[in-house]
């Protein structure tokens, strides 16, 4: 890699590249080719908040593939997605779909493809810390809680004038059905009290992170992020590689898997 190329490497990608080769992902765990297992607190910007293989996704994918719905085409999924957004976000009734999640995010953020609170809506969005804004954005990008390979871009706007120059794209049935399933899970979770599960994390992560719902925000300075990321990874825990996007409480974990966080916190506090 040249000096010019290395200077453009985005730190989160650089940190993730230090993981061992991954052979399998299941639930909130990664299984490496060298036999190492990691508990994931990294949601990939909200996409994996329900795990690497959300409940029901494999069945939906198989159904779509069995019916050959793998090429962009008009389908009933377009209308269903729009109606779901309009029901749960009535203040933003104008919905447009894109094959690329990044396209919807770029429009909402004004050119940035990385999802960000405020201009994007996530699962458990009410617990997200958002930047101060003089007014609500005209359009938001909805980040589906589904692995990136199955995701689409959804832009929800207050008025048709917000993005009148942008037209919805045709999407295939596999992605359309996955989006409907993800939205259903996303909105259903708003009615479920998961606070007891989230609070179990505090004993182990409280020294390193401030928790807001399932989201974990660093208490340590930005300058320490790379060191803490590596120390957690070496002890079988994957935290967010992006200091500006929170880690998250796994939907399933054992006490023993989290104990190493106490060791990392002791190292930080002692200045090691």
């Amino acid at each position: 890699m040249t000096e010019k190329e290395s200077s453009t490497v985005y730190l989160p990608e650089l940190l993730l590249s230090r993981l061992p080769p991954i052979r399998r992902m299941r639930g909130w765990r990664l299984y490496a080719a060298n036999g190492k297992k990691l508990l994931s607190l990294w949601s990939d910007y909200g996409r994996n908040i329900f795990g690497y293989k959300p409940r029901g996704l494999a069945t939906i994918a198989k159904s779509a593939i069995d019916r050959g719905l793998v090429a962009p085409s008009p389908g009933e999924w377009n209308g269903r997605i729009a109606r779901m957004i309009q029901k749960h976000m009535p203040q933003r009734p104008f919905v447009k779909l894109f094959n690329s999640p990044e396209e919807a995010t770029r429009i909402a953020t004004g050119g940035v493809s990385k999802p960000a609170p405020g201009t994007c809506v996530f699962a458990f969005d009410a617990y997200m810390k958002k930047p101060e804004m003089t007014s609500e954005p005209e359009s938001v990008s909805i980040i589906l809680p589904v692995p990136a390979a199955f995701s689409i871009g959804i832009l929800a706007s207050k008025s048709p004038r917000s993005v009148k120059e942008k037209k919805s794209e045709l999407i295939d049935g596999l992605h359309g059905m996955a989006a409907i399933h993800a939205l259903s899970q996303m909105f259903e979770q708003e009615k479920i009290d998961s606070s007891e599960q989230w609070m179990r994390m505090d004993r182990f992560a409280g020294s390193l992170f401030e928790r807001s719902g399932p989201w974990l925000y660093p208490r340590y300075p930005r300058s320490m992020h790379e060191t803490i990321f590596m120390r957690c990874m070496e002890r079988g825990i994957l935290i967010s590689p992006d200091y500006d996007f929170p880690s998250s409480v796994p939907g399933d974990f054992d006490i023993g898997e989290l104990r190493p966080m106490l060791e990392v916190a002791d190292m930080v506090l002692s200045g090691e």
Side-chain angles (χ1 to χ4, degrees):
M1 181 180 290
T2 66
E3 182 177 344
K4 181 178 180 181
E5 287 173 333
S6 65
S7 67
T8 61
V9 173
Y10 187 47
L11 181 59
E13 293 178 0
L14 177 61
L15 291 179
L16 288 175
S17 72
R18 295 177 182 173
L19 287 168
I22 302 300
R23 179 171 290 171
R24 183 163 57 101
M25 300 178 182
R26 185 174 63 187
W28 289 265
R29 293 168 182 83
L30 298 88
Y31 299 85
N34 62 6
K36 189 177 182 65
K37 179 177 73 173
L38 294 101
L39 177 68
S40 179
L41 280 61
W42 167 229
S43 70
D44 190 18
Y45 298 102
R47 300 181 188 102
N48 296 331
I49 190 73
F50 296 141
Y52 290 109
K53 191 177 76 172
R55 173 176 47 86
L57 181 60
T59 301
I60 286 169
K62 183 178 185 305
S63 174
I65 293 170
D66 286 347
R67 290 191 280 162
L69 297 174
V70 293
S73 63
E76 62 180 11
W77 44 84
N78 298 62
R80 288 187 61 187
I81 291 170
R83 288 192 294 273
M84 292 177 78
I85 301 297
Q86 291 158 356
K87 177 181 177 181
H88 293 276
M89 301 174 65
Q91 74 279 21
R92 299 184 184 280
F94 300 96
V95 179
K96 294 190 176 183
L97 308 182
F98 303 91
N99 284 289
S100 166
E102 290 78 17
E103 176 66 13
T105 300
R106 274 193 293 268
I107 296 171
T109 61
V112 180
S113 60
K114 186 179 80 170
T119 51
C120 296
V121 175
F122 305 84
F124 306 113
D125 193 71
Y127 298 98
M128 272 279 185
K129 293 183 179 180
K130 301 176 178 65
E132 293 290 336
M133 293 183 173
T134 55
S135 61
E136 286 192 356
E138 282 295 313
S139 302
V140 294
S141 174
I142 298 175
I143 308 301
L144 294 172
V146 67
F150 292 92
S151 192
I152 62 170
I154 303 178
L155 194 72
S157 306
K158 293 181 178 180
S159 74
R161 298 187 304 276
S162 302
V163 287
K164 61 181 179 180
E165 72 282 3
K166 294 288 184 179
K167 294 183 179 180
S168 277
E169 298 175 351
L170 292 177
I171 60 174
D172 61 73
L174 191 159
H175 284 83
M177 293 164 66
I180 291 169
H181 180 67
L183 285 169
S184 177
Q185 281 197 310
M186 181 174 175
F187 294 134
E188 283 177 7
Q189 286 297 319
E190 294 176 356
K191 307 172 187 176
I192 300 174
D193 182 6
S194 302
S195 56
E196 186 173 340
Q197 168 74 354
W198 299 338
M199 285 190 291
R200 291 178 61 214
M201 175 66 72
D202 296 346
R203 172 185 169 191
F204 304 96
S207 296
L208 292 175
F209 298 97
E210 176 188 355
R211 185 177 60 79
S212 177
W215 303 111
L216 303 171
Y217 292 87
R219 293 184 185 274
Y220 52 85
R222 183 183 299 271
S223 60
M224 296 188 66
H225 187 61
E226 182 175 358
T227 298
I228 291 175
F229 177 92
M230 293 303 299
R231 287 181 174 175
C232 285
M233 186 187 76
E234 290 161 1
R235 290 161 178 79
I237 298 172
L238 175 63
I239 65 171
S240 170
D242 189 339
Y243 184 84
D244 295 315
F245 195 90
S247 297
S248 55
V249 179
D252 168 47
F253 59 85
D254 296 327
I255 298 300
E257 292 178 293
L258 289 176
R259 288 193 191 282
M261 295 199 83
L262 297 175
E263 181 182 343
V264 174
D266 286 343
M267 290 180 177
V268 173
L269 294 174
S270 63
E272 292 183 23

